[in-house]
Amino acid sequence: MNISILKDEIVKYSKEIGIDKIGFASASPFSELKERLKIQQENKFQSGFEEEDIEKRSNPDILLPGAKSIIAIALAYPSKMKNAPRSTKEDPRGIFCRASWGKDYHHILRDRMEKLESFLKEKVPQVMLKSMVDTGELSDRAVAERAGIGWSAKNCSIITPEFGSYVYLGEIITNIPFEADKPIEDNCGECNKCVEACPTDALVQGGQLDSNKCIAFLTQTKGFLPEQYRKKLGNRLYGCDTCQTVCPENKGKDFHLHVEMEPNPEIAKPKLKPLLTISNREFKDNFGHVSGSWRGKKPIQRNAIIALAHFKDESALPILYELLFKDTRPVIRGTSAWAIAKIGGFEEIENLQKALLVEKEEKVLEEITNGISIIKNKQ
Ligand code: SF4
Ligand code: SF4
């Protein structure tokens, strides 16, 4: 087997199966990443969604004994929605971040990686392979950086010169010692736009992310959203794109190369009020295919309630009261109380006081009491 020829064949084949960029990296331990992860853990910057074992995250040989190289892939996703519906006063809309437009990218990337795996297995039957995307142990970003897919930018994305940071990343560890490609030079330079634009100052010392402050992470939590972040949420239902949209490297970057990634505008930018009463079945049927639904409907509904407060949508008050008095989930009841207070005037105090009499859950009682104070402070 000539490894150099095989590499050329893989690159050629990757284009045929809809992989937009491919790179090769050595599988030696990611020592710098290990240090960065340790600092993140010490500072409690992690989201809790990532693999806890730093060794596993930074040493490919633990994941695939005998690992020699890693094949990194990138698929470009669209940044602009065709026929995006407008939010109106009667029907305000929320927004899913771009990485949740179209079919869940985990499935799309897995499909491409399975094809690459089959190709490799045909060429080298005894090859050993381990693929991962996003939820895998390895850091997609560290691999992509080493493989020359793009540079690791201050907004914590990988920026490719061709597609900007609007790319999904995946990787395959293998025991074939492919020659490594060269990393790309960091082009952030003096720019600091993403750090300045982040609504919650979650980007610390450029390149480090405090996940606990990041709206993208906060939209995925299942509990109460701390009050200081509710205003910052705006109409985001899932994820946050601000540090990508402000990036000059993303200017004009909008690729529609994969039909599965095209968003259904009514799903990617849905009307808020119908979301509050959607059944589990309807949610699964309509939103089950997008990556933003992975935490279920509760966080999306909580965020929709906060978004309605953001729009001060008075027509939402009857539904919010319905939720406050009847929903079985404390997070939904409590967040509704807060939204009612943000939207309504003095006349809502009496209703909130009624809710105080029937509510049993301590956190919800706190939210109702806080809501009453919010209204009183408006006077
Ligand atoms: Fe800040 Fe949003 Fe970027 Fe998170 S995703 S770092 S909140 S701009
Ligand atoms: Fe880098 Fe500027 Fe883009 Fe931030 S906004 S990622 S600093 S180029």
Side-chain angles (χ1 to χ4, degrees):
M1 173 186 56
N2 183 319
I3 297 176
S4 169
I5 292 174
L6 181 60
K7 184 177 168 182
D8 291 344
E9 285 176 346
I10 293 171
V11 173
K12 186 165 169 277
Y13 179 66
S14 72
K15 306 290 167 226
E16 290 167 20
I17 58 169
I19 289 174
D20 301 321
K21 192 161 186 188
I22 192 162
F24 295 76
S26 96
S28 58
F30 290 82
S31 318
E32 265 184 38
L33 173 71
K34 194 170 163 183
E35 289 314 308
R36 206 164 66 206
L37 292 174
K38 272 193 198 155
I39 294 170
Q40 276 199 319
Q41 261 186 2
E42 279 161 20
N43 287 322
K44 300 201 176 9
F45 282 173
Q46 294 185 311
S47 69
F49 293 147
E50 56 281 274
E51 165 66 51
E52 268 181 38
D53 187 337
I54 288 184
E55 275 306 321
K56 269 194 192 166
R57 293 198 69 193
S58 54
N59 190 353
D61 196 59
I62 295 181
L63 303 169
L64 183 83
K68 290 284 184 299
S69 67
I70 311 175
I71 306 169
I73 65 164
L75 269 71
Y77 59 85
S79 70
K80 293 198 169 55
M81 197 188 303
K82 291 173 188 158
N83 307 319
R86 280 180 177 256
S87 217
T88 62
K89 195 169 179 311
E90 295 71 41
D91 260 321
R93 290 171 183 266
I95 183 86
F96 281 75
C97 71
R98 289 161 175 77
S100 180
W101 289 0
K103 185 177 168 187
D104 186 338
Y105 67 92
H106 297 87
H107 300 297
I108 303 175
L109 264 81
R110 260 182 225 126
D111 166 75
R112 304 301 192 271
M113 290 196 292
E114 274 167 21
K115 285 182 176 139
L116 259 194
E117 283 195 2
S118 303
F119 181 83
L120 269 164
K121 279 179 191 157
E122 209 171 282
K123 301 273 172 191
V124 189
Q126 69 280 21
V127 68
M128 279 164 37
L129 302 162
K130 186 170 169 72
S131 298
M132 52 194 73
V133 46
D134 182 37
T135 48
E137 295 89 341
L138 271 190
S139 159
D140 300 327
R141 195 175 133 199
V143 174
E145 182 183 15
R146 189 187 271 182
I149 296 283
W151 75 90
S152 188
K154 286 185 199 169
N155 65 0
C156 293
S157 303
I158 284 292
I159 299 186
T160 67
E162 304 87 341
F163 313 107
S165 62
Y166 299 125
V167 284
Y168 297 126
L169 304 169
E171 57 271 343
I172 307 175
I173 311 173
T174 170
N175 62 341
I176 302 175
F178 288 112
E179 194 191 332
D181 292 324
K182 287 197 174 47
I184 286 180
E185 203 184 321
D186 187 324
N187 208 22
C188 281
E190 295 299 306
C191 176
N192 210 31
K193 285 197 164 129
C194 52
V195 178
E196 285 154 18
C198 174
T200 54
D201 296 328
L203 292 168
V204 267
Q205 312 154 6
Q208 285 265 22
L209 177 75
D210 181 350
S211 298
N212 300 302
K213 282 185 176 177
C214 173
I215 290 175
F217 162 71
L218 289 167
T219 58
Q220 301 174 52
T221 58
K222 289 190 172 176
F224 282 91
L225 192 73
E227 198 178 350
Q228 74 264 33
Y229 296 120
R230 292 182 196 168
K231 206 172 153 201
K232 313 266 183 192
L233 200 73
N235 69 336
R236 297 178 184 92
L237 295 172
Y238 181 85
C240 167
D241 281 331
T242 301
C243 55
Q244 296 203 85
T245 51
V246 299
C247 175
E249 298 289 335
N250 279 337
K251 198 153 187 268
K253 300 282 197 290
D254 176 33
F255 291 88
H256 298 259
L257 306 173
H258 310 276
V259 69
E260 317 96 290
M261 293 180 190
E262 290 305 320
N264 172 345
E266 291 298 326
I267 299 300
K269 207 178 165 192
K271 289 179 181 169
L272 290 169
K273 277 175 292 208
L275 275 178
L276 304 191
T277 51
I278 193 169
S279 69
N280 288 340
R281 167 57 43 207
E282 284 170 323
F283 183 77
K284 204 157 178 264
D285 288 349
N286 293 325
F287 295 91
H289 66 286
V290 302
S291 61
S293 71
W294 79 286
R295 298 280 283 168
K297 75 172 184 176
K298 189 169 79 171
I300 303 291
Q301 288 184 313
R302 178 202 61 188
N303 301 340
I305 294 168
I306 295 169
L308 284 163
H310 164 75
F311 286 115
K312 302 243 180 308
D313 182 358
E314 286 182 15
S315 73
L317 285 173
I319 319 175
L320 292 172
Y321 275 117
E322 188 77 12
L323 295 175
L324 171 60
F325 282 98
K326 295 201 181 134
D327 201 277
T328 54
R329 300 159 297 175
V331 168
I332 298 298
R333 296 202 300 280
T335 310
S336 297
W338 174 85
I340 289 167
K342 283 285 180 188
I343 297 168
F346 208 67
E347 57 285 2
E348 310 308 332
I349 290 183
E350 199 182 326
N351 292 327
L352 289 176
Q353 280 168 339
K354 279 185 198 154
L356 268 186
L357 298 176
V358 290
E359 181 59 54
K360 298 272 183 297
E361 201 77 37
E362 199 175 321
K363 185 74 185 99
V364 184
L365 287 167
E366 268 174 38
E367 289 286 346
I368 302 171
T369 311
N370 180 41
I372 294 171
S373 311
I374 290 173
I375 298 177
K376 285 185 176 161
N377 286 336
K378 284 186 195 174
Q379 307 307 309

